[in-house]
Amino acid sequence: MARGALGRGAWNASVWARGVAARFALPPGAGVWLRLRLAPPLEELPLPTFGAPSLPLLELLGVLERAREDERVDGVLLELAGGVRGFAAAEALRRGVDALGASGVAVIAFGERLSAEELLVACGARRLYVPEAGRIGLVGLRMEGFFLKDALARLGVAPDVVRVGSFKTAGEMFTRGAMSAEQREQLEALVEDRFDALVDGIARGRGLTPERVRELGDRGPFTAREAAEAGLVDGCRHRDELEAELEKQVPPRVAPPAGRIRLVDAASYHALRVARRVRRPLRRDLARLSYVVAEGAIHAGSGLRGVAADRYLALLGRLAPDPGVRGGVLRVASPGGDG
């Protein structure tokens, strides 16, 4: 009991110290902008690496949520550098950007070469800029597969695959030389669903009709100038010209003097204002939610690769009887795998 109270006291001291540091690093009304750089690898959770160019997705979403209610933050500079891969992450980030805009926090987005997923995120910003040498990769969506039947036949290899159900097509790459009608049907349905979400997000963010966005998708990709003429971006700016654009977006009630814009890195803001900001009672601990990420192919047995059944069963088994864990979130980022 004493050890637990001591640990909670140390936790509270760290919360107090972060609060003091934040008051000096993030004074209110001083033109503070957060710099969020979305560069690869954009992971779901923090990894034990050093010098990572981007916060993981969960912490980025926490920064966006906290910034909505922080009077110190005038805006967010969103730099897209190839880190957004996959529509689940893109849609989560877009919801966070939309919520910032709805709360009155200005968001300026900048990227040199924007993929479809990055464009979906960036279109939630108040302004979107690319340099003159930039490109917008709005070219529609596609999915593809490769098939090894003929190559295996040349090697004298005959695959033995058990298939249950018409749409269980994972083994087709070994048994066919081309895509089956069932696989084509389900991939086309998935691509159509994703493309509808992409079109809707771009149309809402850029003030275009869905029909216009679909037309632009048929014409892409775009140079920076072409994208500006089409209304996909607000203009061409280089990185060293962004600060002047930030000053234009500061609300008049808190407009700083010239040269007072201060860019604070998202990682520093997370450490000062997001992480460990709740004080704990000394006599008891706070209830917790567990956040479990199942990433990779699912397979039986143990090991560190993918979603190993034995490893995840052991993890969930430890969480279930823990009285401090009141609930959980399971985020699955997997192509499937073992039943």
Side-chain angles (χ1 to χ4, degrees), residues 182-214:
E182 294 86 355
Q183 176 73 334
R184 185 175 299 278
E185 178 184 347
Q186 60 188 358
L187 289 183
E188 286 181 348
L190 179 59
V191 168
E192 183 177 353
D193 183 67
R194 287 181 176 176
F195 190 62
D196 287 345
L198 175 66
V199 167
D200 177 70
I202 295 174
R204 285 188 293 107
R206 299 304 305 170
L208 303 172
T209 65
E211 293 74 21
R212 175 60 173 164
V213 176
R214 290 179 181 274

Side-chain angles (χ1 to χ4, degrees), residues 143-154 163 169-181 183-184 187:
M143 299 185 76
E144 60 186 23
F146 61 96
F147 302 90
L148 302 175
K149 178 183 176 182
D150 295 339
L152 293 175
R154 290 174 186 159
R163 172 174 171 169
T169 57
E172 283 189 355
M173 64 179 295
F174 303 109
T175 61
R176 294 181 59 89
M179 189 177 294
S180 68
Q183 176 73 334
R184 185 175 299 278
L187 289 183

Side-chain angles (χ1 to χ4, degrees), residues 12 16-17 22 27 31 57 81 89 111 118 120 147 151 154 175 199 218 231 255 264 272 276 287 297 309 320 324:
N12 292 340
W16 175 82
L57 179 61
E118 289 178 309
L120 177 61
F147 302 90
R154 290 174 186 159
T175 61
V199 167
D218 292 336
V264 176
L272 292 172
R276 298 190 176 188

Side-chain angles (χ1 to χ4, degrees), residues 9-302:
W11 176 285
N12 292 340
S14 73
V15 172
W16 175 82
R18 288 168 188 260
V20 172
R23 283 196 290 272
F24 287 98
L26 306 168
V32 171
W33 281 66
L34 302 184
R35 178 176 180 265
L36 271 71
R37 180 173 170 82
L38 304 181
L42 183 58
E43 304 289 350
E44 291 279 346
L45 289 173
L47 294 177
T49 57
F50 298 95
S54 176
L55 288 171
L57 179 61
L58 182 62
E59 293 183 358
L60 281 171
L61 295 175
V63 167
L64 295 176
E65 181 178 2
R66 184 71 181 92
R68 294 204 312 259
E69 56 195 38
D70 193 341
E71 64 179 10
R72 296 169 174 83
V73 177
D74 294 338
V76 172
L77 173 61
L78 189 64
E79 296 187 10
L80 298 121
V84 183
R85 297 176 182 175
F87 274 86
E91 290 180 332
L93 288 166
R94 173 59 185 272
R95 287 193 294 270
V97 172
D98 285 345
L100 271 178
S103 69
V105 178
V107 181
I108 303 296
F110 173 82
E112 296 182 357
R113 296 174 179 268
L114 300 182
S115 65
E117 294 97 329
E118 289 178 309
L119 184 60
L120 177 61
V121 177
C123 281
R126 183 180 298 181
R127 293 288 186 273
L128 169 57
Y129 297 108
V130 293
E132 291 189 7
R135 292 182 68 83
I136 302 295
L138 181 61
V139 292
L141 302 177
R142 71 173 186 177
M143 299 185 76
E144 60 186 23
F146 61 96
F147 302 90
L148 302 175
K149 178 183 176 182
D150 295 339
L152 293 175
R154 290 174 186 159
L155 298 174
V157 176
D160 186 7
V161 176
V162 177
R163 172 174 171 169
V164 180
S166 300
F167 291 90
K168 303 296 286 185
T169 57
E172 283 189 355
M173 64 179 295
F174 303 109
T175 61
R176 294 181 59 89
M179 189 177 294
S180 68
E182 294 86 355
Q183 176 73 334
R184 185 175 299 278
E185 178 184 347
Q186 60 188 358
L187 289 183
E188 286 181 348
L190 179 59
V191 168
E192 183 177 353
D193 183 67
R194 287 181 176 176
F195 190 62
D196 287 345
L198 175 66
V199 167
D200 177 70
I202 295 174
R204 285 188 293 107
R206 299 304 305 170
L208 303 172
T209 65
E211 293 74 21
R212 175 60 173 164
V213 176
R214 290 179 181 274
E215 177 189 338
L216 292 173
D218 292 336
R219 288 171 42 194
F222 297 89
T223 66
R225 290 294 180 188
E226 291 170 341
E229 292 171 0
L232 290 173
V233 303
D234 291 290
C236 298
R237 300 287 188 278
H238 292 285
R239 192 180 301 273
D240 59 359
E241 298 175 306
L242 291 176
E243 186 169 329
E245 296 298 327
L246 304 188
E247 292 179 356
K248 296 177 184 178
Q249 302 302 321
V250 176
R253 61 180 178 80
V254 293
R260 289 288 303 280
I261 286 290
R262 299 181 57 197
L263 278 174
V264 176
D265 189 75
S268 299
Y269 182 79
H270 182 273
L272 292 172
R273 297 291 292 167
V274 182
R276 298 190 176 188
R277 62 188 179 97
V278 178
R279 289 183 174 83
R280 294 180 175 181
L282 293 180
R283 294 182 177 275
R284 59 181 176 84
D285 210 344
L286 295 173
R288 301 186 302 277
L289 293 177
S290 64
Y291 186 88
V292 179
V293 174
E295 188 169 11
I298 302 168
H299 62 91
S302 58

